Amino acid sequence: MPSTTSHAWSSRSAASPQGVDRIRGDQWHLDFLRTAEAHRITQGEGVTVAVPDTGVHPHPDLARNLRRGTDIVAGGSGDGRQDQNSHGTGMAGLIAAHGHAGKLGALGVAPKAKILPIRVKINDHGGTSHHLADAINYAITQNVKVISISAAGAADIRLHAAIEAATRADIVVVAAAGNKPLSQHVGFPASYPGAIAVGGVDRLGQRASVSVTGPEIDVVAPAVDIYSTSVDSKYRKGTGTSGATAIVAGAAALIRSKYPYLPASEVAHRLTATATDKGPPGRDDEYGHGVIDLVAALTADVPPLGFGSATASAPTQTTSTTTAVAEPAGDGNGGATTRGLVTLGVIVAAGGAWTFIARRRRRGDDPPPRISR
């Protein structure tokens, strides 16, 4: 299904020292999330994050954290380290860009984590849910601790099984909730109960207008005018829950580095229990449990699941009791397994995210969800 979202692109060259200085300054989300303080605790050492996307270009600000990956779709270099679109490179940079000397260039939330690039599409309209399922299954074999999925949509049986396999393998699955106007409800795999569903906020900490809402939202993170790495050693700026998802994946990498024996479910619990509450008191459909707090997530005394939450300053919270597994949209083109993956949200720079279309359900309101075959 073609996107109804327009996008224009621009980029900044890495060649200009002034341009590079400006990039770090323009990464407003770093100060917003107090990443400098978090980095004094951990920088994500020992953790690999899988990024199934458009591939990841070995940008100078990212290259030494980039593992050899794979191409699920034909036409690439075979190792996931080629990106004709820039979206995957941007998401990888938000997670694990290391910048370069003198505090220049782009910096990720977990700058000593590793990225496993998995190319599941080439451009805004390529790829299928089967490609994404294959990418997740590959990531499971590669000893990753986190999978960052900047996509939202309908699940077929293979994708649903792959997400289940990842959670059984103790991998933290972080997924974008979806962007308006293309999506109106939280899609899959964000709606899967074992995944962390991510919405977005703006510079003021208010829900970004592009971010969908729903009972599946777990946490929110910066999603507006987010700068990161791009192809050809340049930089990109984007708006949408894709970037917020990569930021939360970086946060999960920090937690997994600080607490290497903590199960994936407890990593998710630590993120939700220490989030800064927004909107009505407690969890709500716009902000979930709130805006992620990197420092609290790394330092707070968080009792395990089933024993209440978290910090002295935060009210007791629990994980969401709702979920959704969507049926394929009735668009007459063969369902999610053959429908191309299209742009997710408003991109103001090179590249774009990709999405499926989904319909949510509340757990307990309907019969067990049907998965398309």
Side-chain angles (χ1 to χ4, degrees):
M1 179 179 292
S3 169
T4 59
T5 305
S6 62
H7 59 276
W9 25 88
S10 62
S11 58
R12 296 184 178 186
S13 172
S16 166
Q18 289 185 335
V20 172
D21 283 334
R22 216 163 45 237
I23 292 300
R24 185 70 62 90
D26 283 342
Q27 289 190 294
W28 65 268
H29 66 280
L30 298 177
D31 287 340
F32 182 89
L33 296 171
R34 295 188 294 158
T35 54
E37 188 175 348
H39 289 169
R40 288 194 287 271
I41 303 167
T42 179
Q43 296 187 31
E45 299 91 335
V47 175
T48 294
V49 181
V51 179
D53 211 296
T54 59
V56 179
H57 172 75
H59 190 285
D61 293 353
L62 178 64
R64 68 173 182 260
N65 285 342
L66 191 58
R67 285 178 46 180
R68 179 181 178 87
T70 192
D71 288 359
I72 301 298
V73 294
S77 57
D79 59 5
R81 295 162 64 105
Q82 182 179 349
D83 184 4
Q84 298 175 13
N85 178 275
S86 95
H87 186 263
T89 304
M91 299 307 102
L94 290 173
I95 298 166
H98 47 66
H100 50 279
K103 297 184 178 180
L104 301 177
L107 186 68
V109 174
K112 292 187 178 178
K114 301 296 183 183
I115 295 294
L116 180 74
I118 309 174
R119 198 179 198 209
V120 298
K121 61 180 303 209
I122 296 174
N123 53 45
D124 287 346
H125 298 280
T128 69
S129 59
H130 280 183
H131 291 138
L132 182 56
D134 290 344
I136 293 166
N137 288 327
Y138 172 78
I140 294 170
T141 71
Q142 298 300 304
N143 195 34
V144 305
K145 299 297 183 183
V146 181
I147 300 176
S148 181
I149 304 174
S150 289
D156 64 25
I157 193 167
R158 284 178 58 182
L159 181 55
H160 189 275
I163 296 294
E164 284 191 336
T167 58
R168 286 196 305 269
D170 194 38
I171 296 171
V172 178
V173 178
V174 186
N179 292 350
K180 296 179 178 180
L182 183 63
S183 300
Q184 296 300 317
H185 305 295
V186 177
F188 194 88
S191 59
Y192 181 79
I196 300 173
V198 181
V201 294
D202 60 19
R203 293 171 184 256
L204 300 177
Q206 303 301 310
R207 183 183 67 84
S209 60
V210 73
S211 180
V212 302
T213 62
E216 306 85 5
I217 299 291
D218 290 308
V219 292
V220 290
V224 176
D225 296 337
I226 305 299
Y227 282 85
S228 186
T229 47
S230 184
V231 298
D232 299 326
S233 302
K234 296 180 180 180
Y235 298 90
R236 71 191 301 276
K237 179 177 74 171
T239 287
T241 57
S242 284
T245 298
I247 289 169
V248 174
L254 294 180
I255 296 171
R256 301 222 85 166
S257 179
K258 173 73 184 300
Y259 303 101
Y261 301 109
L262 201 64
S265 60
E266 295 289 351
V267 173
H269 175 53
R270 183 165 279 271
L271 281 168
T272 59
T274 60
T276 301
D277 193 21
K278 299 284 291 184
R283 200 217 150 272
D284 64 80
D285 289 358
E286 288 193 80
Y287 300 96
H289 294 276
V291 182
I292 60 166
D293 185 329
L294 298 181
V295 177
L298 294 171
T299 61
D301 182 11
V302 181
L305 283 166
F307 291 87
S309 71
T311 67
S313 60
T316 299
Q317 299 173 350
T318 59
T319 55
S320 174
T321 59
T322 58
T323 186
V325 178
E327 296 173 341
D331 56 9
N333 66 357
T337 60
T338 58
R339 189 159 51 246
L341 309 179
V342 297
T343 301
L344 172 68
V346 181
I347 303 301
V348 195
W354 29 272
T355 184
F356 306 86
I357 308 301
R359 182 174 73 86
R360 69 167 171 81
R361 280 195 174 109
R362 290 179 180 269
R363 181 185 294 144
D365 289 350
D366 293 326
R370 295 171 293 178
I371 307 300
S372 63
R373 297 181 182 273

